Amino acid sequence: ILAVGDCTGGPQFTHWAGMQGGIAAANAVMPVNSTVDSANPWCTFTDPEVAHVGLTEERAREQYGDQIVCAEMKMSSVDRAVCEQETAGFAKIISLGQGKILGATIISSAAGELIGEMGLAVNKQLTMNDVALSVHAYPSLSICLQQIASNVVQDELATAYPQDGCVRSCFGPAIATRDVTLDAQQASSP
C-alpha cells in the first residue's frame, strides 16, 4: 500500500504531495524504499509573498541557544527590488554562525521564487560560506541571499581577526555597506 498527500498526515502542500507521488511511483516499479525527508519550503501567495523553510528563529534558539545567527536584509536595500519598486519585506537567514544554514524566512514580491535556494541550502546542509562564495547574478533579487551570507562571514572574520582592517574590503566594500543586520546577541558577542 502506497500513500501520498494529505492522508499521510504530513505537510498539506501540493508540491509536497507531488514529490511523494513521484517517489511512490518509483517505489511501485523499482522499490528502493525512498522517502521524502527534506525540509519543506512553503509560500503564502499574498502581496508581498511570505515564504519559509527549515527552522524558525524561535525553534533554532530552542535547539541551539546562543550559537545561532539571524541575519536579514530589507528589500529596500536590494537594487533589483528598488528598480522594480517592490521594496516591501525582507530576507532572513538563520544559521550556526558562518556554518550550517538552519532556516530562512522571506517576505517579498518574489519570496516563492527565492525560497528554493534556501530549501536547497537547508536540505544539503550548506553553510553561509557556501552561499557567500556562490556567484549570484546582478541585479537580481537572489543576490540579497549572497549579500546576507557574505556579511555574516565578514563579521565573523572581522571578530576573529580584529587587527586586520582589510577583512571587509577583501569581500567587497559594496556588500559591506548594505543594510544587513545581525541579531543583537550575535553583534555583541566576542
Side-chain angles (χ1 to χ4, degrees):
I1 298 175
L2 301 172
V4 301
D6 295 353
C7 70
T8 65
Q12 296 184 357
F13 296 107
T14 304
H15 57 276
W16 191 255
M19 177 67 90
Q20 289 176 323
I23 290 172
N27 282 336
V29 295
M30 184 178 64
V32 291
N33 294 323
S34 293
T35 58
V36 180
D37 59 358
S38 61
N40 181 30
W42 59 261
C43 184
T44 303
F45 295 99
T46 53
D47 186 16
E49 298 173 1
V50 179
H52 179 78
V53 68
L55 296 180
T56 62
E57 181 177 351
E58 182 180 356
R59 289 272 168 96
R61 287 206 189 282
E62 288 171 7
Q63 271 188 262
Y64 297 100
D66 293 341
Q67 298 176 57
I68 71 160
V69 172
C70 295
E72 71 179 62
M73 179 180 234
K74 295 175 184 172
M75 286 297 144
S76 60
S77 296
V78 180
D79 292 345
R80 179 67 177 266
V82 171
C83 290
E84 294 182 0
Q85 299 178 2
E86 295 283 353
T87 57
F90 64 89
K92 180 196 305 189
I93 305 175
I94 300 131
S95 67
L96 291 173
Q98 63 178 310
K100 184 170 80 167
I101 295 172
L102 302 172
T105 299
I106 302 171
I107 299 176
S108 87
S109 61
E113 304 301 324
L114 295 172
I115 202 66
E117 179 177 347
M118 291 292 94
L120 179 66
V122 171
N123 288 322
K124 295 300 181 185
Q125 299 184 4
L126 298 180
T127 66
M128 291 296 258
N129 197 52
D130 292 329
V131 175
L133 295 175
S134 176
V135 178
H136 289 63
Y138 178 86
S140 67
L141 293 174
S142 67
I143 201 165
C144 73
L145 303 174
Q146 181 187 21
Q147 291 171 330
I148 293 168
S150 293
N151 273 283
V152 169
V153 172
Q154 290 173 41
D155 285 347
E156 291 205 358
L157 287 174
T159 300
Y161 302 100
Q163 71 283 1
D164 187 356
C166 74
V167 168
R168 286 236 178 245
S169 61
C170 289
F171 279 86
I175 294 174
T177 61
R178 296 289 176 187
D179 182 19
V180 174
T181 57
L182 301 176
D183 64 19
Q185 201 158 18
Q186 175 62 22
S188 64
S189 60

